[in-house]
Amino acid sequence: MTHFCTLANQFYTYLMDINFNKNEDYNRLLTSDLRQRFAKVKLGGGQKRIDKHHEKGKMTARERINYLIDSDKKSIEIAAFAGEDMYKEHGGCPSGGVVIKIGYIKGRQCIVVANDATVKAGAWFPITGKKNLRAQEISIENKLPIIYLVDSAGVYLPMQDEIFPDKEHFGRIFRNNAVMSSMGITQISAVMGSCVAGGAYLPIMSDEALIVDKTASIFLAGSYLVKAAIGESIDNETLGGATTHCEISGVTDYKAKDDKDALDKIKFIVDKIGDADKAGFSKKEAFPPKEKEEEIFGILPKERNAQYDMLEIIKRLVDNSEFEQYKEGYGQTILTGYARIDGWAVGIVANQRKLVKTKKGEMQFGGVIYNDSADKATRFIANCNQKKIPLVFLQDVTGFMVGSKSEHSGIIKDGAKMVNAVSNSVVPKFTIVIGNSYGAGNYAMCGKAYDPRLIVAWPSAELAVMSGNSAAKVLLQIETASLKKRGEEITPEKEAELFDKIKSRYDNQISPYYAAARIWTDAVINPLDTRTWISMGIEAANNAPIEKPFNMGVLQV
């Protein structure tokens, strides 16, 4: 009997090892795909346009940022995949035609926004406006100094109706310039190429503006339009070049001889900024996880509906792999507890993805939010707000539990309390979409609509109302009913073909890259970079003291 048990255990271990290896291979392939996609995005408008840019004596947007920020410190890029596979009829808009990074300049954390003139001469597409507004939102929320490296032809005219007049369009940028100035947030602009029409207001509404001699210009209307409008003949350099604006109009504050000189001047200015008031989040010496971070690739299952233990993921993200669970034996489909990430104290709210058994002997499905888990999460979020501890949400959720038992137990009420707590939380929130992010589960676990300071997805993530399989079945029923009404016969083969077509379309929409293209998330990241994103995010948030108490209103718990 002992021999049989030993063999059984060995066989189980063998199966687990095979499964781990399969998961690892699959997730590393996803990460490799991420690297390849990012390498393509980094080329902007393509190598030929980069070469032409260099011929003019100009640096590219990425070269400018990399020269500006401290090379010995980490940085993170916001919305690198913005615009991916969008605007194909217009030739595309890689990375939204603008590069945004959070990094350090002379040791001071800043956010840098650089127009990519290799993409349609830096013209603004609708997604460009959304991405710029996201950068300003991050600056406002975290009181981060913001640096604009301007090189843009202005609004992309063929799509002007989608970028010009609305509240969240182009004009909101300048409104934010004014509001940020009143808040005391440092804004510095360097005009390093074209800066025309309404776009000319951005650098001049900043605290200080630099302009590069000979390669940069600022004007409301260029020489051709001036000739057409009032008949005046004048060249662009005389109209709005560096000498004009530094010595005649006084529009700009500093003249730079070239790109590097302008960037050096920015470094000099940033180095003099005084320190900000701090929020006071707890920070101690950082330690790496004791468990191997790379094992995340083998733990995370290939199939999105497969069970796994989220606790094992957490152990590979937190300092010393130490995680003190709150209400460990209650509401087990959500894990809550305290830890440190890169030294910063955090409260973690994570979807448990394994099947759990309650004390009453009932089984609960992993990834589903039940009444007790919603109640537990609500209480924990309130505790973190009371203790001034930033919150980290690890999403792998299919939604709230349905059925008569849940409804009679008040799942809507308990879910509403959790959503209320997330909505009214005053401590900074950070969301990592690890796997599924479906329906109301996305909302309760601090999706984009609930103001996380940063929200990123792993390559394994899926964001949608429901899974591709479930949605395809629902849509198939609608489609077949419509076809039958028109008198068409639906054979099993035809039905299977329709299902595959619908699922393929839906699967494309739930991809993390589809979400990143539309800036529903700030990035798709390598899971091994998660600690860096959270740490830099909390450091940024620590610049903005909490100004109001936590209050859940009429749903006080």
Side-chain angles (χ1 to χ4, degrees):
M1 183 67 180
T2 303
H3 179 64
F4 175 78
C5 289
T6 301
L7 288 174
N9 286 334
Q10 288 176 346
F11 183 66
Y12 177 76
T13 303
Y14 170 73
L15 290 177
M16 291 297 291
D17 286 344
I18 288 179
N19 197 43
F20 185 95
N21 291 338
K22 285 182 177 178
N23 292 339
E24 186 176 36
D25 290 345
Y26 177 75
N27 286 307
R28 286 194 181 279
L29 281 172
L30 289 182
T31 306
S32 175
D33 178 54
L34 168 62
R35 284 195 296 268
Q36 291 172 26
R37 286 171 180 261
F38 184 61
K40 184 179 178 181
V41 158
K42 285 172 70 175
L43 290 174
Q47 191 59 51
K48 287 184 178 179
R49 290 180 182 172
I50 291 174
D51 292 341
K52 286 184 178 179
H53 208 67
H54 288 159
E55 288 169 8
K56 297 176 183 177
K58 298 167 68 175
M59 303 165 73
T60 66
R62 291 182 182 279
E63 289 168 345
R64 288 166 177 166
I65 292 179
N66 290 340
Y67 182 83
L68 181 61
I69 61 178
D70 299 343
S71 59
D72 61 339
K73 296 186 184 302
K74 292 182 178 179
S75 63
I76 54 179
E77 182 167 343
I78 303 297
F81 295 108
E84 183 170 279
D85 289 332
M86 297 169 65
Y87 316 119
K88 290 181 180 179
E89 67 276 23
H90 297 279
C93 187
S95 212
V98 62
V99 182
I100 297 172
K101 283 190 179 183
I102 299 176
Y104 300 85
I105 301 174
K106 293 293 185 178
R108 181 62 178 259
Q109 197 177 42
C110 300
I111 185 163
V112 186
V113 181
N115 299 114
D116 186 351
T118 70
V119 179
K120 301 289 185 182
W124 288 54
F125 281 68
I127 199 67
T128 316
K130 186 173 183 179
K131 186 170 175 178
N132 275 267
L133 288 170
R134 177 61 179 143
Q136 289 184 322
E137 180 181 37
I138 292 171
S139 175
I140 291 169
E141 286 181 330
N142 300 290
K143 305 290 193 294
L144 276 186
I146 186 167
I147 315 298
Y148 306 100
L149 307 181
V150 183
D151 193 347
S152 172
V155 167
Y156 183 62
L157 290 178
M159 301 189 74
Q160 63 84 28
D161 60 322
E162 296 182 46
I163 183 63
F164 170 63
D166 209 347
K167 181 178 179 180
E168 300 299 329
H169 283 176
F170 191 65
R172 187 76 172 183
I173 304 291
F174 318 129
R175 174 266 184 194
N176 285 351
N177 286 144
V179 170
M180 292 162 73
S181 182
S182 72
M183 294 172 67
I185 297 171
T186 298
Q187 300 177 84
I188 301 169
S189 289
V191 182
M192 311 180 83
S194 297
C195 184
V196 301
Y201 288 104
L202 184 146
I204 312 312
M205 294 189 73
S206 299
D207 301 334
E208 295 180 274
L210 304 86
I211 185 169
V212 178
D213 196 21
K214 300 297 185 280
T215 57
S217 56
I218 309 172
F219 34 65
L220 295 181
S223 56
Y224 292 123
L225 187 54
V226 167
K227 176 69 173 176
I230 63 172
E232 181 183 3
S233 295
I234 189 170
D235 63 273
N236 283 337
E237 181 64 26
T238 306
L239 182 65
T243 299
T244 295
H245 287 309
C246 287
E247 300 177 19
I248 300 173
S249 72
V251 164
T252 50
D253 306 306
Y254 308 91
K255 183 198 287 189
K257 62 182 180 182
D258 55 26
D259 282 6
K260 286 188 176 181
D261 185 38
L263 299 170
D264 285 336
K265 290 180 187 297
I266 292 174
K267 292 180 185 183
F268 189 85
I269 296 167
V270 171
D271 190 43
K272 308 303 180 293
I273 299 173
D275 200 8
D277 294 335
K278 301 298 181 185
F281 303 127
S282 174
K283 178 80 168 12
K284 292 188 175 180
E285 183 182 355
F287 294 95
K290 285 184 178 178
E291 303 290 345
K292 294 180 180 177
E293 293 179 69
E294 293 82 3
E295 290 177 350
I296 286 172
F297 295 116
I299 296 167
L300 192 65
K302 175 180 177 181
E303 303 298 331
R304 285 289 78 245
N305 59 354
Q307 302 284 302
Y308 67 97
D309 190 353
M310 179 64 82
L311 186 58
E312 295 302 318
I313 298 288
I314 293 173
K315 287 178 180 178
R316 286 155 180 84
L317 294 177
V318 301
D319 290 13
N320 282 326
S321 299
E322 294 174 347
F323 179 59
E324 183 64 36
Q325 288 201 57
Y326 169 82
K327 289 185 178 290
E328 181 177 355
Y330 177 73
Q332 296 177 70
T333 63
I334 286 184
L335 299 174
T336 53
Y338 303 105
R340 288 189 182 273
I341 293 178
D342 199 32
W344 292 102
V346 296
I348 294 175
V349 181
N351 302 112
Q352 175 58 288
R353 278 308 310 261
K354 71 176 185 179
L355 198 66
V356 298
K357 190 175 184 178
T358 69
K359 294 295 183 182
K360 296 178 181 179
E362 299 171 337
M363 300 305 296
Q364 293 185 342
F365 296 102
V368 179
I369 302 175
Y370 289 77
N371 297 73
D372 53 358
S373 49
D375 173 67
K376 168 175 145 179
T378 301
R379 292 171 181 271
F380 180 71
I381 291 166
N383 278 341
C384 287
N385 275 271
Q386 184 83 354
K387 298 178 178 70
K388 204 157 72 171
I389 301 172
L391 285 159
V392 174
F393 292 83
L394 303 179
Q395 284 195 9
D396 195 343
V397 58
T398 54
F400 286 88
M401 189 59 189
V402 296
S404 60
K405 185 176 180 180
S406 290
E407 296 293 357
H408 295 171
S409 299
I411 187 65
I412 296 175
K413 178 184 68 177
D414 290 328
K417 286 181 179 178
M418 183 176 174
V419 170
N420 189 299
V422 173
S423 303
N424 286 300
S425 177
V426 295
V427 295
K429 300 166 290 192
F430 302 89
T431 302
I432 316 297
V433 186
I434 289 175
N436 303 326
S437 181
Y438 298 153
N442 170 280
Y443 301 159
M445 291 295 294
C446 197
K448 182 68 180 291
Y450 292 81
D451 299 321
R453 295 294 176 95
L454 294 171
I455 175 170
V456 298
W458 289 1
S460 49
E462 294 184 355
L463 291 85
V465 172
M466 61 181 75
S467 72
N469 212 44
S470 299
K473 288 177 181 177
V474 173
L475 293 169
L476 178 65
Q477 292 178 32
I478 297 170
E479 182 74 12
T480 52
S482 176
L483 292 172
K484 285 176 181 177
K485 279 185 179 180
R486 296 204 295 265
E488 293 189 34
E489 182 183 351
I490 307 299
T491 63
E493 293 77 17
K494 176 70 173 176
E495 188 172 285
E497 182 186 335
L498 277 172
F499 178 83
D500 290 341
K501 182 179 178 181
I502 292 169
K503 187 174 184 302
S504 176
R505 183 175 70 243
Y506 197 87
D507 282 347
N508 176 60
Q509 294 178 358
I510 67 178
S511 157
Y513 297 101
Y514 189 91
R518 289 150 183 82
I519 319 184
W520 301 342
T521 61
D522 290 315
V524 182
I525 67 168
N526 184 330
L528 302 183
D529 292 333
T530 303
R531 283 169 53 85
T532 296
W533 275 80
I534 294 171
S535 174
M536 288 189 67
I538 298 175
E539 183 180 349
N542 201 38
N543 291 310
I546 296 170
E547 296 175 349
K548 65 177 183 177
F550 175 65
N551 186 339
M552 285 180 60
V554 296
L555 284 176
Q556 286 281 9
V557 180

